Amino acid sequence: MSPVIENLDLYVDGFLTSLSIIVVAMIGSLLLGTLIAAFRVSPVPPLRAFGTFWVSTFRNTPLSVVLFFCAFGLPELGINRTFYFFGVLGLILYTSAFVCEAIRSGINSVSAGQAEAARSIGLNFSQSLRFVVLPQALRTVVPPLGSVIIAMFKNSAVVGAFGVGGDLWSTGQTLTSARGYETLPIFIGVAIGFLLITLPAGAVLQVIERKVAIAR
Amino acid sequence: MSQQETVLFDAQGPKARRRTMIGTVIGALFLLALAVVVVLRLAGQNQFSMELWGPLLNPGNENFELVWGVIGEGIVNTIKAALVAMTLSVVIGTLIAVARLSLGRYARIPLIGFVEVFRGLPVVVLVYLSVRALPDVGIDLRGWPGGQVFWGLIIGLTAYNMVIFAEVVRAGVASLPRGQREAALATGLTNGQAMRLILLPQAFRVMLPAIISQLVVVLKDTSLVVFVANFDELLSQGESIIRNLGNPIQTFTVIALLYIAINYTLGRLAQWVQARQARGSTAKATGGDDLVPVRDGA
């Protein structure tokens, strides 16, 4: 493992860049995914159709294809940004579809009787949503949403492979190709970097799941 | 759709219907405007010229047959890699699950650690390691049918998906009523026989939708090899078309539509199987739905 220890500073930089991709993509995909989920359950048909289109497009396209689209298609639309921007944008677009589905399935899991009961005791629409439907939906959403987000953490490696530069993956690439280190130890170092993110995230998710779990 | 509306909304009265109508018009206009802007921008860049689309759409074009031959080869290789990786993952995943279920409380700890580590790694890192690093440690895959990159890809995908399947199988077996195993043991079957003859066949039935949905994930992940090495799967074939014809938007559109067509069909198949099982059997109060979250977006 000495090649990893020799280049520990590079690894730390890469780890921090990966972390920044993850944090930006997490915030972005949660916001966008919630918006699309709101579209999908709204009473307005064009928005519903748009939401369905969005989800079936991004869920069934490989992340790599989404990334290539961002990098080659958006400049043609007059949007010229850095690879970091395109990479994170692609990850957000892709993940938002999964976030949307997790949230929507949570809303669907609240039985209609709950909303009906809320109405019949005199709560209005926003009250029944705020006090009855959403608190239950959010709890059901936590486990699937958590695994979507952790999958996104792992997918950030693809964004690195795509060429964002400076993240954990690129650190590994630089060390093996430009500096001639052997692949195996260097990429085991990369793998450990990702485990340092995903394993604690998994543990945190379990704690949260236990906190919000409800008996049905 | 009507299901969701009943949870969130009342049946709409005249006022609400008018508001929905206004929202519909505004929403439709907004989406239309967005589409128009995109189309105009693309047209401004001359992206709709037949020069760029012709090789993909016009059967009379000189490159049409060549291009679709290349794409067809890509589809075949993608599906082949996905199926082989899937089969291996199911087999090895089942072995891991059975081992985990039959080992004692302490003996299973290393196995759980193994599963957690592989579940925490990005699949692209695993593919990279198996394509690039396996030869370094003396594992020579060149002689295998399909070549070294193919098997590297398969091993990487399998390493990632086998532990997911181990969890799926474990959940599937756990979802069966306890009485199944007890009855099997009471009729004189050994533990191994009960697992093999009674529990696993039923668990696989419950798991079938999860297996099909995971196939979508594997199919998408085969494209990651594009970042690692040369292998003629669908996305890489698209890239080589782009290198020759210089039409990235057009080719990527076609490639994306092909992926969507295949994966959407598989997704619907999974839904159909699940609905059929939910309908077909009365003893499946525990089945189906529990297993869906397995599809974790990778």
Side-chain angles (χ1 to χ4, degrees):
Chain A
M1 290 321 286
S2 64
V4 178
I5 296 169
E6 281 167 32
N7 296 294
L8 202 59
D9 51 335
L10 283 178
Y11 274 102
V12 171
D13 283 351
F15 183 80
L16 292 178
T17 309
S18 281
L19 217 54
S20 85
I21 294 176
I22 281 171
V23 170
V24 176
M26 183 164 86
I27 296 171
S29 58
L30 282 176
L31 290 178
L32 187 59
T34 313
L35 180 70
I36 303 287
F39 280 6
R40 283 206 76 174
V41 299
S42 82
V44 183
L47 294 184
R48 273 207 312 259
F50 178 75
T52 312
F53 163 79
W54 186 275
V55 167
S56 39
T57 302
F58 284 109
R59 232 167 50 146
N60 291 314
T61 315
L63 174 59
S64 39
V65 175
V66 176
L67 291 171
F68 280 125
F69 246 114
C70 288
F72 291 102
L74 291 182
E76 299 290 342
L77 292 175
I79 303 169
N80 276 306
R81 293 292 174 87
T82 59
F83 252 49
Y84 181 88
F85 178 85
F86 288 138
V88 174
L89 179 67
L91 190 56
I92 289 176
L93 295 178
Y94 179 81
T95 313
S96 71
F98 293 92
V99 170
C100 165
E101 282 307 272
I103 292 177
R104 197 175 67 102
S105 66
I107 292 175
N108 281 346
S109 74
V110 180
S111 66
Q114 295 285 331
E116 283 164 15
R119 283 315 162 73
S120 64
I121 59 170
L123 301 184
N124 64 26
F125 173 68
S126 62
Q127 283 172 331
S128 73
L129 208 59
R130 191 148 51 100
F131 296 120
V132 178
V133 176
L134 281 187
Q136 296 184 59
L138 287 179
R139 280 151 201 254
T140 331
V141 159
V142 166
L145 198 58
S147 58
V148 164
I149 293 297
I150 290 178
M152 186 274 283
F153 291 177
K154 292 187 275 179
N155 282 335
S156 73
V158 180
V159 177
F162 171 67
V164 160
D167 77 317
L168 269 173
W169 175 280
S170 322
T171 305
Q173 288 258 294
T174 317
L175 288 174
T176 48
S177 56
R179 308 210 184 163
Y181 284 100
E182 272 192 54
T183 309
L184 190 62
I186 290 298
F187 268 80
I188 287 181
V190 172
I192 292 174
F194 277 104
L195 287 178
L196 283 179
I197 299 174
T198 52
L199 290 182
V204 169
L205 177 63
Q206 269 191 352
V207 172
I208 298 177
E209 271 177 33
R210 219 172 296 142
K211 277 245 165 83
V212 301
I214 34 165
R216 274 252 173 80
Chain B
M1 284 298 155
S2 58
Q3 180 77 45
Q4 296 146 32
E5 281 162 352
T6 51
V7 178
L8 290 175
F9 313 112
D10 275 335
Q12 295 188 328
K15 253 189 200 162
R17 267 206 298 273
R18 202 176 316 133
R19 272 205 299 269
T20 306
M21 199 60 197
I22 294 170
T24 304
V25 172
I26 293 176
L29 282 179
F30 178 72
L31 293 177
L32 198 69
L34 202 68
V36 168
V37 167
V38 170
V39 168
L40 283 182
R41 284 270 178 107
L42 287 176
Q45 305 275 349
N46 212 13
Q47 289 294 338
F48 291 107
S49 71
M50 255 343 237
E51 203 181 319
L52 295 172
W53 283 101
L56 295 159
L57 298 181
N58 177 12
N61 191 292
E62 49 175 346
N63 289 322
F64 183 82
E65 269 178 42
L66 188 65
V67 162
W68 279 97
V70 168
I71 292 178
E73 198 187 336
I75 294 178
V76 170
N77 281 329
T78 288
I79 292 179
K80 208 193 287 176
L83 285 181
V84 175
M86 196 65 192
T87 313
L88 284 176
S89 312
V90 171
V91 171
I92 301 178
T94 308
L95 292 178
I96 296 175
V98 170
R100 187 167 167 183
L101 287 166
S102 10
L103 287 176
R105 183 178 299 170
Y106 298 106
R108 79 168 72 123
I109 288 176
L111 203 56
I112 294 176
F114 174 83
V115 169
E116 287 301 318
V117 165
F118 275 87
R119 264 180 28 155
L121 288 174
V123 59
V124 67
V125 169
L126 288 169
V127 170
Y128 190 91
L129 276 175
S130 16
V131 173
R132 294 285 181 86
L134 282 185
D136 293 350
V137 295
I139 299 174
D140 191 0
L141 301 164
R142 269 172 304 182
W144 292 28
Q148 191 235 330
V149 176
F150 177 75
W151 284 102
L153 174 63
I154 297 293
I155 292 173
L157 290 176
T158 304
Y160 183 74
N161 287 289
M162 65 184 185
V163 290
I164 293 179
F165 271 106
E167 291 299 288
V168 174
V169 175
R170 200 171 62 90
V173 171
S175 77
L176 299 173
R178 288 172 60 99
Q180 291 290 330
R181 182 166 170 276
E182 289 162 2
L185 296 182
T187 57
L189 298 183
T190 64
N191 267 322
Q193 284 171 327
M195 182 62 81
R196 191 159 50 86
L197 301 172
I198 308 295
L199 298 178
L200 283 182
Q202 298 186 67
F204 271 110
R205 226 186 86 101
V206 181
M207 284 157 34
L208 194 57
I211 292 181
I212 301 174
S213 326
Q214 192 65 23
L215 187 56
V216 173
V217 176
V218 177
L219 232 142
K220 292 196 291 183
D221 286 348
T222 55
S223 72
L224 294 176
V225 77
V226 80
F227 299 120
V228 175
N230 290 320
F231 173 64
D232 297 337
E233 49 72 46
L234 187 48
L235 181 57
S236 313
Q237 296 292 72
E239 291 231 284
S240 70
I241 292 173
I242 291 165
R243 266 197 302 280
N244 289 311
L245 297 178
N247 55 352
I249 292 193
Q250 293 72 18
T251 306
F252 280 135
T253 305
V254 170
I255 298 290
L257 287 177
L258 287 170
Y259 275 114
I260 292 172
I262 299 171
N263 290 332
Y264 187 76
T265 314
L266 281 172
R268 291 311 288 257
L269 181 68
Q271 278 177 6
W272 180 77
V273 171
Q274 194 168 358
R276 222 177 96 98
Q277 288 182 352
R279 194 156 28 96
S281 142
T282 46
K284 280 291 180 292
T286 48
D289 279 346
D290 305 358
L291 291 170
V292 172
V294 163
R295 185 188 163 136
D296 65 347

